[in-house]
Each structure stands twice: as C-alpha cells, then as structure tokens.
C-alpha cells in the first residue's frame, strides 16, 4: 500500500471470511479512535414502490439492536465516550461512522457491529422515524439544490434508478396492509451483504488486537458472496440529450450549466484524465475562457468537472455564474466554450508538460499530507475502498501515473454538441412543467439541430484564447528547514506599537507548509452600518479583482482568502512554504493598489444585496441565529440592514472609503509553519514598509451586548417552517463559567435531541450547542418544525428544561465522572495537523490570550469543578429571572 512519507501510522488490509473488506490503522499518538462502515447500497436499490427505503433503513439502524434494544443507546454511549456518530445515504452507497476515546473503542465496535448483524428494526419505532424522514423532506422542499436535482431526475431515462425519489416521505413509506417494518427487514437482509461492505478502524491499539476485534465482531455479518448486480440501463436516451432545461429557483440565482454525458470509465482514477480536463477548462488565468467571459461582463464565476456520477454514468459539467447581462448572451457563452474546447483538442501535444505540473503538485500534496479528523478520515477511506485497488486506498485521490493520450482523446470525444444538455437557471422563465415532490417550475426545449450542427463545425479557437502556462510557483524548491531553539508558544517580534507580528516555527508536523494571517483593523470599517456593508463588499471585490493574477498560485498549492471581520479585513494564506511569503506580500500590495472598476463594483454590489435579501429564504433557524448575532454584536448588523445601507452607495463613495480605510489602522499578523526566525523578521519588515504611510492606532476592541434580563424577539415568515432559538449567555468572561457551560451542553445535548427530535418528533432540526460570541461563552437551543408553532416549541422546550433541572441532582457519581471525562477528552484533544494548530494560535492572538493557555486553563477548571457547584450553576441559569434571549419564528 502506497503511504505518504509524512504518515506515521501502520496499516493492515484484510478480507474476512464473509467477504467484508477491512483496513486497520494503528495511530500510536492518538487519544481517539474511529471506525466507518460503507455498504454498496443506496437509494438506487430502493424498491420502485418504496422510494426512500435505503434512507429509512439508515435511520432505523440507530434505534437499537437485539442485544441493546434501547433506541439511541449507541448515540448516547458515543456521546458519553467523548465522540460523535453519524451516517448518510447516497445513490449507491450508505456510510456509518463514529469516533470516541480510544479506551472505549472495543465496546463502541461491539455496539456498532450490531447494526449490521442483529438490528432491532422495531415496528413501534417506524412511525417516529417516518415522521423524521418526512420532516427532513419538508425542510428541504425550498432547497434549490434539491429542487434543481429533481428536474434533472425527471428529464433523464425513467428506467434508470437515478430517477427515484431518494429521501422518501410519509406517503412513500406509509404502512399498507401491514407495518412497513417487515419490508425494512427484507430490504436489509437483501442489501446489507458483507461482501458489499468496507470497514475502516483506526486507534492506538496494536494491529493484531484490532484485527482480532474486527474478525470477532464483524465476521457474523451475513455474506452470500454474490457480486453486486451492475446497472446496464443508460442514464440518458437519445431524446434526453440536445435539450435546454430552464428552471426557476427559490433564491435569486443566475446560472448556466453545459453538461456532457459520459459513461463511467474504469481505471480512470490512476490517470486523473477527467480532473485534468476540468483543470484546463476551469483555468482562470490569462487567455482562459473564464478571463474572456468575465471581461465581456457576462459571468462572475466558472467551474468545470462537477456533475452527477455513478457506476455507469458521469455528467461532465461546465457551470457559469451569470451576470444580468450574461443571461441574454448564454448562447454566445456556449459557442465560446466550444471554441475553447477546440483549442484543447488542437494542442494535445502541448498537454503532457501541463499534466506533469499537476502531477508534481499532487505528489507534493501526498508527501506533505496532514492528518485530518479521524471521523472524516475513516469515512472517506471506507468510501475509497469501493473505488480503488487495495494498494491505492490511501493514494487513490493523489495518483497521476502519466498522461494517457488515448483516454484523454476519448473524453474529448464526449465534449460535442449533440451529447450536450444545457440548464439555464434564472428567475424569469416561462415554466410549462412542475417537478414532482419539490414543485420546481421548469420548461424543456429541444435545441435547434441547425444550431447544434453549427456548434459541431467549430474547430478554431478565438485568437486571444490560451491554455495555461507552466506554473512559475512550482519552480521554487520547498526546503524543510532545520529546527531552531525556541519557546513552545508564538513569539511577539518587537516592533512599533500598533503592529503586532507573531511567529512560531513548526516543530511538530514537519511539512513544507505554513500559514500566514494578517488582520487589518480600521475605525472607518465600523463607523456605521454603511461602512460595515462596504467592508464586506471591499473583501469580495478584492477577491474578484485578484482571481486571474493569482490563479497560478492556487494551482500550485498556495491558497489565499480575504474576508471581512468585525473591524476590518483579514488575509489568510496557506500551503507550501517555499514562496508563500512572496505571495503574501504581493497580495497585500494588491489590497492597497489593485484597480477596481466601476463595472465590477456595480455587479458585486448588486450580487451582495441579493445575497443579503436571500437571507430571508434561509431556514428559519438560520435566520434566528443571524438575528441573535446582530442582537449581541453591534458590529455585526443583520443582513436586511446591510442590504438597505449598501443600496444607496455609489462608486465614488466606495473609492473614498477604500482610501480612508488605510489612513488609520491597527495590524496583527502571525506566521506559523516551515520558516525560521530570519524569514519572519524579513517578512515583518516588508509588511511594515507596505503600510508606512498609515497612521498606526491602538487595537480595536470588539463590543458585545451583555444580556441583563430575559428577552423575547418574534418574527413572522409566510410559508415558512416554525422555529425557536433560546440563548443563554455567560454573565462574565471567567474561565469557570466557560467550562461549566461546555459541560452543561455535553450533558444535555444528546438527551435534548433524543427527547424532542426522536421521541416527540417536533422536527428534523433539533439540538443544543456551545456558542460563544466575541469570546463570551453561551449555549443555544434550537428547534425547527413544519407542524408545531413556535409557542408550542417553547412549551416543549420549557418542559424538557424543567424535567432536566428537577433531575440534575439525581445524576449518579459515575455519570458525573463520565461526563467530565468526555468533555476533558474534547478540550484536551491534540492539534491533528498544522492547519488546526495555526488556527488555534491565531484565535488566541486575536482574543489577546498571549499566554496561549486557554486549553490548559479549561482543563484545570474542569478538573476542579464539583458536582454541587455544577448543579447550583444549572439551577441558576435556567431560573425564570436569569438573563436569556428567546427568538421565535411563526
């Protein structure tokens, strides 16, 4: 098995006697363990008269096994073991995964394996879970992704399983002559076969011990050795191609998708020919399709390579975010796309050197790979095991063997007009059809054969069109520098007041990567709501104006992002360290000097106002959280206020604002990764030089509104779900209050979910969470319901809290210790990779925690917290007079 040179785990791959493929990983340094099982069964396998069955089974498997029949027992155990669990159902696969403290791994695996050996599938639980599925379906009825997807299904070959209704609802899953439970069991026994499953287990235990556990616990899964039946029905018939689909979105959206039908080409992953083709078409540098169409004022964004895919089909999509003007020129955009495709086809002999660039980058990325969260890692690898050969389980996403002319030309042959479907999404279409389930208005038009023939004749590119050049950012060597003696925490490099530059060389992960953060605060950014809106617009315009110039850097593994924060702008660069400092200085220079045109100002102003107004179409829970943030943080107005303030702003006002922004500033910066102190000092000096004309101020402190009494805020949204959010804010900045709120959430969140979501079936979105605002701790409870008004949701919430506070004193000593241990594991979790460590240090710097000891302080306070003190605290914060804010919708 190909393993990254930066991967210290050891692996073992095996197949159990029942056909289950297993990958075991020993991670000696991890306090956590994780596992995932993915089965080659999804909604494509749903019986035609029971659509949503695979999704329904996924829900039912969490509701008890023969050995452990209590619903939610597994989720409760995992929560108490300091972990989390989840699952998803896709088209042809379903995946289940969890993590926990390593000492609980065996018991967790024992409970987990029962899902697939002896699930209870209790008839008494089917009504509740059917309601949960229906609530999930209703919550997504207004989701444009689902609505557009349904039109795709209805305009494909009706005999292909892609056209099935994947989610299910109370109608498709209703009881008939008998309870559906028997059909669920039959579906499970037919489709959850061991030979169609893959299992990944990772923990600090020795491999032979993990092998013994996997064999003993998962061998009882039934497997009959039969191969998964292949799908022979094509996704598209001849009449399903050469179409123009026009779709009306719920939110304001203007998009053109050119989609080419392809088969699934076996072995393609080793050459990455499809992703290389997407890279060429999606290129954003000089002479690219993106650059030319953007200069015309027709598009704001372009992406290539996406689209639905399965075991016998692949859509290759080229997607354009259209401007208002671009809608009227969508046919011209299609024609220019075929001219760019003609350029690629005419220069096949020039492609191997560009392919080598991409291969070099992926090899660097693989060897400098950083560990991700175990939960995410096991889930992705268990899916990889269904698509890659055993030696490529880890390497499959990165492997690029060589440029295969034959396969690449084969792919290009599919990029022809008669093999195309076009999708135009915009608000002003004349719809003739309504899609089932999601009520999406759409129309279908057969494209003119004369136009398709004219497109077929295109064989010459426009003179200004160019393929990517050899990437200059890949020519710099990335040296891993020797470690210099230093402290374990970032060092403040002394400089002028008002300019804080912190540095820390990475001595743990030892990759040729790094992160640079710089925060530029300006009083003008928060002078009024209009200035706050202009700061957000400024960040968007900078990203837009820099896209073409710095696209090669992104391709070379150097990422950058400019965002607005409360008080100003933040630049974050990340990736290979070789010339990241150079890129950072070029970006900062562009922030100060990059020309921004009145045309792009007008376009982005319009888009941003639409985005803020679309906020009204968000899930009501999301909207309530947005209102909560505006209530607590004066420098974070609600979206409607921002839209209103920006609407009357002209380009000259923006130009004045940009100039004034840099007149008086305060700067914080942090360099962390594969650099030595001399590099940091050099960068510090150059950054200071860029801002030498600015007046340097003291730090801007972000204000916070402290709740002083109970408050209620109500909004009404026609044709929307009902929702409630209750927020309890810490009354001080004391560490003890932070950790006590964390522990309270640790103890209450699974119980809250089980009672209000699983048992009472109030809605699909139910939960609680630790939610700090501007460093002040807090806990939020939320419920969104299609059927229960917000007053009823509040009543159920209050009844739960009343029962919780009544019973809190009865918590056993063992439960108390387990809850503390689970939270301690989360708080004390080591940084998994350089990104997470840089992020933690940067948060400490922006919060003025210059001892970088928050983690240690939280653990100390948690260890010292007594059950009596905790109980007293809980009773106090849930008392009627304690300050809190309730937000209600409908």
């Amino acid at each position: 098995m190909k393993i990254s040179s930066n991967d210290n785990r050891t692996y073992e791959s095996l197949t159990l006697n029942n056909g289950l493929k297993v990958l075991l990983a020993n991670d000696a340094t991890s306090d956590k363990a994780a596992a995932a099982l993915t089965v080659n069964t999804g909604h494509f396998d749903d019986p035609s008269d029971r659509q949503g069955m695979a999704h329904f089974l996924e829900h039912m498997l969490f509701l008890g096994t023969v050995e452990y029949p209590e619903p939610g027992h597994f989720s409760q155990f995992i929560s108490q073991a300091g972990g989390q669990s989840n699952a998803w159902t896709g088209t042809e696969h379903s995946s289940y995964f969890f993590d926990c403290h390593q000492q609980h791994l065996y018991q967790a695996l024992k409970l987990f394996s029962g899902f697939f050996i002896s699930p209870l599938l209790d008839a008494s639980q089917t009504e509740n879970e059917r309601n949960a599925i229906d609530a999930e379906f209703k919550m997504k009825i207004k989701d444009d992704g689902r609505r557009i997807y349904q039109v795709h299904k209805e305009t494909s070959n009706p005999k292909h399983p892609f056209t099935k209704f994947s989610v299910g609802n109370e109608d498709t899953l209703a009881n008939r002559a008998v309870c559906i439970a028997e059909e669920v069991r039959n579906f499970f026994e037919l489709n959850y076969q061991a030979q169609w499953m893959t299992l990944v287990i990772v923990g600090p235990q020795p491999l032979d011990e993990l092998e013994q556990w996997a064999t003993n616990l998962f061998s009882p899964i039934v497997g009959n050795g039969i191969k998964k039946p292949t799908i022979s029905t094509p996704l598209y018939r001849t009449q399903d191609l050469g179409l123009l689909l026009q779709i009306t979105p719920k939110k304001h959206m203007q998009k053109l998708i050119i989609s080419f039908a392809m088969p699934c080409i076996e072995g393609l992953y080793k050459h990455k020919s499809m992703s290389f083709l997407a890279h060429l078409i999606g290129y954003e540098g000089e002479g690219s399709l993106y650059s030319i169409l953007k200069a015309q004022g027709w598009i704001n964004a372009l992406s290539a390579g996406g689209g639905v895919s399965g075991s016998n089909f692949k859509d290759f999509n080229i997607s354009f975010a259209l401007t208002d003007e671009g809608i009227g020129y969508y046919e011209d955009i299609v024609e220019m796309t075929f001219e760019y495709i003609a350029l690629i086809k005419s220069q096949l002999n020039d492609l191997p050197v560009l392919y080598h660039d991409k291969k070099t980058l992926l090899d660097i990325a693989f060897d400098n790979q950083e560990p991700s969260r175990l939960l995410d890692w096991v889930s992705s690898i268990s899916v990889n095991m269904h698509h890659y050969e055993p030696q490529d389980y880890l390497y499959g996403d990165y492997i690029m063997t060589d440029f295969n002319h034959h396969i690449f030309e084969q792919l290009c042959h599919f990029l022809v007009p008669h093999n195309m479907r076009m999708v135009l999404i915009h608000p002003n279409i004349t719809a003739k059809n309504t899609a089932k389930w999601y009520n999406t208005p759409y129309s279908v038009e057969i494209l003119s054969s004369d136009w398709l023939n004219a497109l077929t004749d295109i064989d010459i590119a426009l003179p200004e069109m160019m393929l990517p050049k050899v990437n200059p950012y890949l020519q710099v060597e990335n040296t891993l520098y020797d470690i210099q003696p230093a402290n374990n925490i970032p060092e403040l490099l002394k400089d002028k007041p008002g300019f804080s530059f912190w540095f820390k060389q990475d001595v743990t992960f030892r990759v040729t990567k790094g992160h640079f953060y710089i925060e530029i605060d300006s009083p003008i950014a928060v002078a009024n709501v209009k200035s706050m809106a202009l700061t957000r617009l400024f960040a968007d315009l900078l990203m837009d104006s820099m896209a073409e110039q710095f696209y090669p850097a992104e391709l070379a593994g150097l990422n950058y992002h400019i965002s607005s924060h409360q008080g100003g702008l933040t630049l974050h660069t990340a990736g290979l360290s070789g010339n990241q400092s150079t890129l950072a200085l070029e970006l900062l220079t562009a922030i100060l000097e990059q020309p921004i045109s009145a045309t792009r100002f007008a376009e982005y102003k319009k888009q941003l106002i639409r985005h803020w107004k679309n906020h009204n179409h968000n899930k009501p829970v999301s909207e309530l959280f947005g209102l909560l943030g505006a209530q607590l943080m004066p420098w974070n107005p609600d979206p409607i206020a921002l839209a209103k303030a920006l609407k009357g702003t002209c380009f000259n006002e923006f130009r004045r604002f940009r100039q004034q922004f840099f007149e008086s500033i305060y700067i914080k910066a942090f360099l962390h990764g594969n650099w030595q102190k001399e590099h940091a000092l050099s960068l510090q000096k150059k950054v200071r030089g860029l801002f030498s004309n600015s007046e340097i101020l003291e730090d801007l402190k972000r204000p916070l509104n402290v709740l002083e009494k109970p408050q209620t805020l109500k909004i009404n949204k026609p044709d929307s779900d009902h929702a409630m959010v209750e927020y309890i804010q810490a009354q001080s900045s004391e560490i003890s209050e932070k950790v006590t709120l964390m522990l309270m959430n640790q103890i209450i969140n699974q119980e809250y979910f089980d009672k209000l979501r699983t048992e009472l079936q109030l809605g699909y979105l139910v939960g609680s969470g630790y939610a700090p605002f501007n460093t002040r701790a807090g806990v939020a409870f939320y419920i969104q319901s299609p059927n229960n008004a917000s007053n009823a949701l509040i009543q159920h919430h209050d009844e739960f809290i009343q029962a919780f506070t009544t019973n809190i004193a009865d918590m056993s000593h063992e439960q108390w210790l387990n809850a503390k241990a689970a939270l301690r594991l989360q708080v004390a979790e080591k940084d998994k990779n350089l990104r997470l460590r840089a992020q933690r240090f940067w948060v400490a710097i922006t919060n003025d925690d210059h001892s970088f000891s928050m983690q240690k302080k939280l653990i100390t306070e948690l260890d010292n917290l007594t059950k009596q003190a905790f109980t007293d605290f809980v009773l106090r914060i849930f008392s009627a007079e304690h300050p809190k804010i309730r937000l209600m919708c409908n």
Side-chain angles (χ1 to χ4, degrees):
M1 189 183 297
K2 173 83 169 175
I3 299 171
S4 167
S5 59
N6 197 44
D7 188 348
N8 295 319
R9 295 177 183 140
T10 54
Y11 296 91
E12 181 184 346
S13 176
L14 66 147
T15 302
L16 302 185
N17 290 336
N18 58 3
L20 175 66
K21 293 178 182 176
V22 182
L23 179 67
L24 307 171
N26 165 256
D27 189 340
T29 62
S30 180
D31 293 328
K32 275 199 165 183
L37 186 145
T38 299
V39 57
N40 187 188
T41 295
H43 89 77
F44 281 11
D45 299 288
D46 289 347
S48 56
D49 64 338
R50 278 299 196 191
Q51 297 183 37
M53 179 65 84
H55 185 208
F56 190 46
L57 174 60
E58 175 215 311
H59 279 237
M60 292 294 296
L61 289 185
F62 281 88
L63 298 179
T65 61
V66 172
E67 293 78 10
Y68 300 93
E70 185 184 346
H73 176 76
F74 175 75
S75 301
Q76 192 73 46
F77 174 85
I78 291 297
S79 178
Q80 291 172 353
Q84 50 189 310
S85 59
N86 213 333
W88 53 260
T89 301
T91 53
E92 297 177 76
H93 296 87
S94 301
S95 191
Y96 303 79
F97 40 92
F98 71 87
D99 66 356
C100 64
H101 191 279
Q102 62 90 7
Q103 71 187 42
H104 300 292
L105 177 60
Y106 178 78
Q107 182 62 21
L109 288 171
K110 186 177 179 183
L111 296 174
F112 186 60
S113 63
F115 282 28
F116 314 103
I117 299 167
S118 54
L120 198 60
L121 304 178
D122 184 3
S124 67
Q125 297 295 325
T126 55
E127 181 65 23
N128 273 353
E129 265 343 277
R130 179 167 42 240
N131 290 338
I133 296 274
D134 194 63
E136 181 180 353
F137 160 65
K138 286 176 178 172
M139 185 184 75
K140 296 285 189 178
I141 281 179
K142 296 179 181 178
D143 180 85
D144 275 323
R146 297 276 182 103
R147 298 171 77 257
I148 293 164
Y149 198 43
Q150 184 60 32
V151 175
H152 192 167
K153 287 171 177 284
E154 289 192 12
T155 54
S156 303
N157 184 352
K159 294 184 178 179
H160 195 283
F162 174 75
T163 60
K164 293 178 182 176
F165 174 42
S166 59
V167 181
N169 66 7
E170 61 184 2
D171 295 327
T172 67
L173 301 170
N175 291 330
R176 291 175 181 163
V178 295
C179 177
I180 194 174
E182 195 60 35
E183 294 176 65
V184 175
R185 185 168 297 282
N186 292 338
F187 182 85
F188 170 81
E189 291 175 353
L190 178 66
N191 290 285
Y192 273 53
Q193 295 286 327
Q195 74 276 9
W196 299 345
M197 295 177 177
T198 56
L199 172 68
V200 179
I201 304 174
V202 57
Q205 293 82 359
L207 286 174
D208 56 354
E209 187 173 6
L210 293 177
E211 180 182 354
Q212 185 180 1
W213 292 356
T215 304
N216 293 344
L217 295 174
F218 292 88
S219 289
I221 298 175
V222 172
N224 59 20
I226 297 173
K227 284 189 172 183
K228 182 80 176 182
T230 57
I231 300 171
S232 56
T233 307
L235 179 60
Y236 302 116
R237 303 160 299 179
T238 304
Q239 63 263 42
D240 302 320
L241 299 171
L243 300 179
L244 169 63
L245 311 178
Q246 298 198 58
I247 303 173
T248 306
K250 272 283 182 190
K251 290 185 177 182
H252 193 283
M253 185 189 305
Q254 298 174 169
K255 195 170 185 179
L256 169 67
I257 303 169
I258 305 172
S259 185
F260 297 99
M262 296 184 177
C264 176
I265 301 173
E266 289 297 325
L268 199 61
Y269 81 88
K270 292 191 175 185
H271 300 284
K272 296 290 185 296
S273 302
M274 191 91 73
S275 61
F276 181 58
L277 178 60
H279 156 68
L280 295 175
I281 295 174
Y283 182 66
E284 295 182 8
E286 183 186 358
S288 65
L289 180 62
Y290 163 85
S291 175
I292 293 166
L293 291 174
K294 184 181 166 186
Q296 291 280 355
W298 293 347
I299 70 166
N300 288 323
L302 182 159
S303 63
V308 297
S309 61
S311 55
N312 80 328
F313 65 93
K314 162 67 184 168
D315 275 5
F316 185 92
N317 287 358
I318 307 172
S319 302
F320 307 86
L322 301 176
T323 63
D324 288 352
E325 186 180 0
I327 291 174
Y329 289 95
Y330 76 89
E331 290 171 314
D332 301 81
I333 293 171
V334 174
E335 290 173 19
M336 291 174 76
T337 300
F338 279 105
E339 286 163 339
Y340 199 80
I341 291 169
L343 175 72
I344 294 171
K345 291 178 177 179
S346 69
Q347 297 190 16
L348 289 177
N349 291 333
D350 297 333
L351 298 183
V353 66
L354 300 177
Y355 181 94
H356 185 265
D357 259 9
K358 192 164 176 62
K359 172 180 166 58
T360 300
L361 178 61
L362 284 182
D363 284 340
I364 293 170
F366 183 70
D367 279 330
N368 285 275
Q369 203 177 151
E370 298 179 67
S372 56
R373 271 198 329 163
L374 286 187
L375 192 68
D376 301 328
W377 184 82
V378 292
S379 177
S380 64
I381 298 299
S382 69
V383 173
N384 283 1
M385 291 169 70
H386 286 269
H387 301 291
Y388 302 150
E389 296 172 11
Q391 67 269 23
D392 294 330
Y393 284 166
L394 307 177
Y395 187 44
D397 291 341
Y398 299 86
I399 187 172
M400 284 185 80
T401 51
D402 52 45
F403 180 70
N404 188 305
H405 279 268
H406 173 71
I407 291 178
F408 192 82
E409 287 186 66
Q410 189 181 354
L411 292 179
C412 287
H413 287 153
F414 292 114
L415 304 186
V416 294
H418 289 87
N419 191 46
M420 170 182 71
R421 286 160 58 99
M422 288 166 50
V423 183
L424 191 60
I425 305 165
H426 67 98
N428 303 316
I429 72 159
T430 303
K432 298 176 182 176
N433 307 293
T434 303
K436 194 174 181 182
W437 309 119
Y438 295 93
N439 304 316
T440 323
Y442 74 99
S443 64
V444 183
E445 178 185 330
I446 298 172
L447 292 169
S448 157
S449 57
D450 289 342
W451 187 55
L452 291 176
N453 290 335
L455 293 175
T456 304
D457 290 339
I458 294 174
D459 57 3
I460 299 174
L462 296 177
E464 61 266 36
M465 288 179 170
M466 292 187 288
L467 290 178
K469 298 182 175 69
V470 173
N471 198 316
Y473 289 95
L474 277 176
Q475 313 312 310
V476 174
E477 190 173 342
N478 283 279
T479 304
L480 187 63
Y481 293 109
D482 293 336
I483 295 172
Q484 295 177 325
N487 294 329
N488 291 326
I489 60 174
E491 175 188 359
L492 177 61
L493 304 182
K494 296 299 181 184
D495 204 271
K496 294 180 179 178
F499 180 54
S500 303
F501 195 107
W502 296 81
F503 170 66
K504 175 75 177 73
Q505 183 184 23
D506 168 52
V507 299
T508 306
F509 302 104
R510 305 298 289 149
V511 287
T512 57
K513 290 181 176 180
H515 291 259
F516 176 64
Y517 293 90
I518 182 165
E519 183 178 276
I520 308 167
D521 281 353
S522 173
I524 191 71
V526 288
N528 49 49
V529 176
K530 179 181 280 191
S531 292
M532 296 175 204
L534 282 170
T535 304
R536 289 159 171 76
L537 178 61
F538 189 16
D540 287 352
L541 285 167
L542 286 169
M543 288 295 290
D544 174 69
S545 65
M546 296 175 182
E548 184 176 324
Q549 179 183 352
F550 294 106
Y551 191 70
E554 287 198 84
L555 293 180
L558 284 166
N559 304 310
Y560 68 92
H561 189 69
I562 300 164
S563 58
S564 61
H565 63 257
Q566 295 178 66
L569 298 172
T570 298
L571 168 66
H572 174 211
T573 65
L576 299 174
S577 55
N579 49 11
Q580 191 178 149
S581 296
T582 304
L583 173 68
L585 290 166
E586 289 173 345
L587 287 164
L588 287 170
T589 302
I591 287 173
L592 290 165
E593 301 174 1
Q594 185 84 6
I596 292 173
S597 70
T599 305
R600 297 311 287 168
F601 166 82
E603 177 63 26
Y604 267 79
K605 172 186 163 184
K606 182 168 54 184
Q607 296 290 344
L608 195 51
I609 290 171
R610 281 175 179 167
H611 168 73
W612 283 327
K613 287 184 174 178
N614 270 339
H615 178 79
N616 280 334
H617 298 295
N618 280 348
K619 297 191 291 283
V621 152
S622 301
E623 187 160 351
L624 292 182
F625 271 110
L627 289 173
L628 174 64
Q631 290 290 311
L632 297 177
M633 298 180 290
W635 289 355
N636 187 48
D638 71 79
I640 298 305
L642 289 167
K644 185 178 178 182
L646 189 59
K647 187 168 175 52
T649 308
C650 67
F651 183 56
N652 277 336
E653 278 184 281
F654 170 73
R655 291 176 63 186
R656 283 198 304 274
F657 168 83
R658 181 181 184 179
Q659 180 183 346
Q660 292 170 347
F661 186 95
F662 297 106
E663 287 177 356
S664 302
I665 57 173
Y666 175 84
I667 293 177
K668 287 179 183 172
F670 176 46
L671 185 69
H672 178 54
N674 178 42
W675 292 285
Q676 294 178 327
K677 190 171 181 179
E678 64 189 80
H679 302 122
L681 289 168
S682 173
L683 180 60
Q684 178 195 32
K685 182 179 179 181
K686 290 172 182 174
V687 170
R688 188 184 63 223
L690 288 176
F691 296 97
S692 59
N693 294 327
S694 301
E695 178 191 4
I696 303 299
L697 303 174
E698 288 302 308
D699 193 1
L700 294 180
K701 300 297 181 186
R702 291 163 199 175
L704 179 75
N705 293 330
V706 177
L707 299 176
E708 296 178 349
K709 60 182 180 180
Q711 302 175 29
T712 300
L713 179 65
K714 296 182 179 180
I715 62 169
N716 285 301
K717 283 170 60 78
D719 304 318
S720 171
D721 279 2
H722 313 277
M724 63 75 65
V725 169
E726 178 166 287
Y727 185 74
I728 299 172
Q729 183 187 55
Q731 294 301 288
S732 73
S733 298
E734 295 297 320
I735 306 293
S736 58
E737 200 169 357
K738 285 184 194 292
V739 84
T740 311
L741 280 169
M742 286 180 178
L743 183 59
M744 192 270 287
N745 181 65
Q746 171 70 29
I747 292 170
I748 207 173
N749 65 355
Q750 188 64 46
E751 194 178 331
Y752 192 79
F753 179 86
D754 289 344
K755 179 68 177 179
L756 302 181
R757 157 75 159 73
T758 306
E759 184 181 330
L760 296 180
Q761 289 294 309
L762 295 182
Y764 185 73
L765 275 181
V766 178
S768 71
Y770 177 72
F773 286 91
N774 283 1
T775 75
R776 182 66 67 93
V779 168
F781 298 87
Y782 58 90
I783 311 172
Q784 180 173 311
S785 173
N787 304 316
N788 298 274
S790 57
N791 287 332
L793 299 179
I794 288 287
Q795 183 179 339
H796 284 296
H797 167 80
D798 286 344
E799 289 170 357
F800 173 88
I801 296 300
Q802 178 62 46
F804 180 79
T805 52
T806 301
N807 299 327
I808 190 71
D810 298 331
M811 188 194 319
S812 71
H813 185 63
E814 183 183 6
Q815 288 174 317
W816 168 248
L817 293 180
N818 285 341
K820 286 182 70 172
L823 180 60
R824 196 183 200 282
L825 175 67
Q826 292 178 31
V827 173
E829 189 171 1
K830 298 170 187 172
D831 299 317
K832 274 287 179 189
N833 51 47
L834 183 67
R835 177 182 61 82
L836 290 174
R837 179 157 298 174
Q839 198 174 65
R840 181 167 62 83
F841 282 147
W842 176 240
V843 167
I845 289 167
T846 57
N847 290 340
D848 294 328
D849 173 22
H850 297 159
S851 64
F852 302 91
S853 58
M854 180 58 73
Q855 190 177 41
K856 187 176 180 180
K857 289 175 182 175
L858 287 169
I859 292 169
T860 301
E861 289 290 343
L862 179 61
D863 290 344
N864 293 333
L865 182 61
T866 66
K867 184 185 169 193
Q868 186 60 53
F870 175 76
T871 304
D872 292 344
F873 177 85
V874 169
L875 293 174
R876 186 171 70 254
I877 65 168
F878 284 129
S879 65
E881 64 277 4
H882 189 81
K884 62 176 69 72
I885 183 169
R886 283 181 166 176
L887 303 101
M888 302 162 66
C889 177
N890 298 351

